Amino acid sequence: MFSSPVNNESYREFENWVKSDAGEFAVEQKRALVEQLIAGWPRRGRNILEVGCGVGYLLETFWEAGLDVSGIDAVEDHLNKTRQQLGDRVNLTLGWPDHLPFDQEEFDYVAVLNPLSFATEPEPILREAFRVARKGVIFGFFNKYSLHRISCACRREACPFQVLQWYSCVRMLTLVRRISGGLRGSIRSTLFGPPATWNKGCVWKKINGAVLPVPFGAYMALRVDLERRPGVKPLYLPARAPLGAE
C-alpha cells in the first residue's frame, strides 16, 4: 500500500527539506547518480516514465539526456508545478504508483526514485514498474546501512525528515530478482556522510559528491535491464540543452 503524500507528514517534511541547502545538494547528487546509471541506455526515440515524479526535480534530467519524458504523481499540485517548469516537454498523469493507468510495456524505461521510501509495501510498486517497462527500470531508495540512517537512529534532531521505509541492498536485490524472475541489477550510491555534511562548502564535499558501486551511501539506485544487448559506451554529456538555454 502506498502512503498518500497528501496526508503523510513525512512526505511534506521531505518536500520542505528539498528546498534547504542540504536538500538542494542531495538532489544534485541524486541527479548525478541517475545520469551515471542511464548513461549506457539508448535514448534517441526512447521514452521514460517517472513514477512519483513530484514537482519534476528529475524529469528535467531525463529530458536533457535525450529521452521523451512522462511523469505520474498522486498530488495534482505537484503536477501543476511541473507543468509550469517544463511545459509541453513532459506528459503528466495523475495517479498512484501501485496502480499505474498504463498498458503493459507502454514505456521503454521506468524510474521509481521517491515512492518506495514512503510506501508501507514496496512490492505492488515494483511489480507495476516492471509491468509497464519494455527495456529497463531504475529503483531509488534510502539505504538502511548508511551514516544517514545511523545518525537518524542515534540523534533524532540529525534526521532532516522521517523515512517510512529503509532498505538494504540485499533486500532490494532480493525483491527485484523475485519479482522480475531472476534479473540482476546494477547498484550505485551517493551521499556517504551524515546529513549535517550535505553541503557544497563542507570538507566532506568530495566524499558526498562521489557516485560509487558500493552499498554505503545514504541514497541508492538499482538499474535493471530487461533485454540483452551489446554494451554501449557511456555518454555523460546531456543530449539536450538545459531549460532556459534555448
Side-chain angles (χ1 to χ4, degrees):
M1 178 180 178
F2 183 71
S3 182
S4 169
V6 176
N7 301 318
N8 191 334
E9 184 64 29
S10 297
Y11 196 93
R12 288 197 292 269
E13 288 178 6
F14 173 74
E15 286 293 303
N16 291 331
W17 173 78
V18 164
K19 302 172 186 177
S20 68
D21 290 342
E24 290 181 358
F25 182 83
V27 169
E28 287 181 12
Q29 292 314 123
K30 186 185 289 189
R31 285 192 178 117
L33 183 154
V34 168
E35 287 171 355
Q36 189 174 122
L37 278 176
I38 69 172
W41 276 351
R43 283 163 276 177
R44 185 184 295 259
R46 306 296 173 88
N47 59 16
I48 189 168
L49 170 71
E50 185 185 355
V51 178
C53 62
V55 296
Y57 298 117
L58 292 168
L59 288 174
E60 183 177 349
T61 300
F62 294 126
W63 185 87
E64 290 174 0
L67 291 160
D68 296 325
V69 181
S70 297
I72 183 169
D73 198 90
V75 181
E76 189 167 8
D77 184 54
H78 290 171
L79 299 180
N80 291 335
K81 291 177 181 178
T82 301
R83 289 189 186 96
Q84 294 174 9
Q85 176 68 19
L86 300 180
D88 59 3
R89 293 177 173 90
V90 59
N91 298 311
L92 298 173
T93 302
L94 184 68
W96 298 97
D98 50 358
H99 290 89
L100 298 177
F102 305 113
D103 294 333
Q104 185 170 340
E105 298 186 0
E106 186 166 337
F107 298 91
D108 292 306
Y109 309 117
V110 174
V112 184
L113 300 169
N114 291 313
L116 292 176
S117 298
F118 302 98
T120 55
E121 176 51 57
E123 288 201 33
I125 298 174
L126 296 174
R127 291 186 184 279
E128 281 292 270
F130 277 115
R131 181 181 66 81
V132 302
R134 281 191 299 270
K135 299 181 180 296
V137 294
I138 296 178
F139 300 111
F141 54 95
F142 285 98
N143 183 13
K144 182 177 182 179
Y145 297 110
S146 65
L147 288 177
H148 177 200
R149 178 69 174 97
I150 293 172
S151 70
C152 290
C154 295
R155 297 177 57 201
R156 171 62 179 83
E157 67 274 16
C159 189
F161 55 89
Q162 290 300 296
V163 178
L164 294 184
Q165 287 279 1
W166 300 83
Y167 300 89
S168 69
C169 178
V170 172
R171 182 188 178 198
M172 185 56 66
L173 285 170
T174 300
L175 282 171
V176 165
R177 288 174 185 169
R178 184 173 75 245
I179 293 170
S180 68
L183 292 175
R184 296 177 178 271
S186 175
I187 284 278
R188 296 290 186 277
S189 69
T190 191
L191 298 169
F192 294 91
T197 66
W198 296 356
N199 62 74
K200 296 179 180 179
C202 180
V203 294
W204 283 69
K205 180 181 178 180
K206 283 191 175 181
I207 297 175
N208 285 322
V211 176
L212 301 172
V214 294
F216 304 116
Y219 187 80
M220 301 185 66
L222 170 67
R223 188 188 83 189
V224 182
D225 295 322
L226 303 182
E227 62 177 7
R228 295 183 181 274
R229 61 174 180 272
V232 179
K233 184 178 180 180
L235 177 63
Y236 291 101
L237 294 176
R240 299 181 182 176
L243 297 182
E246 298 179 351

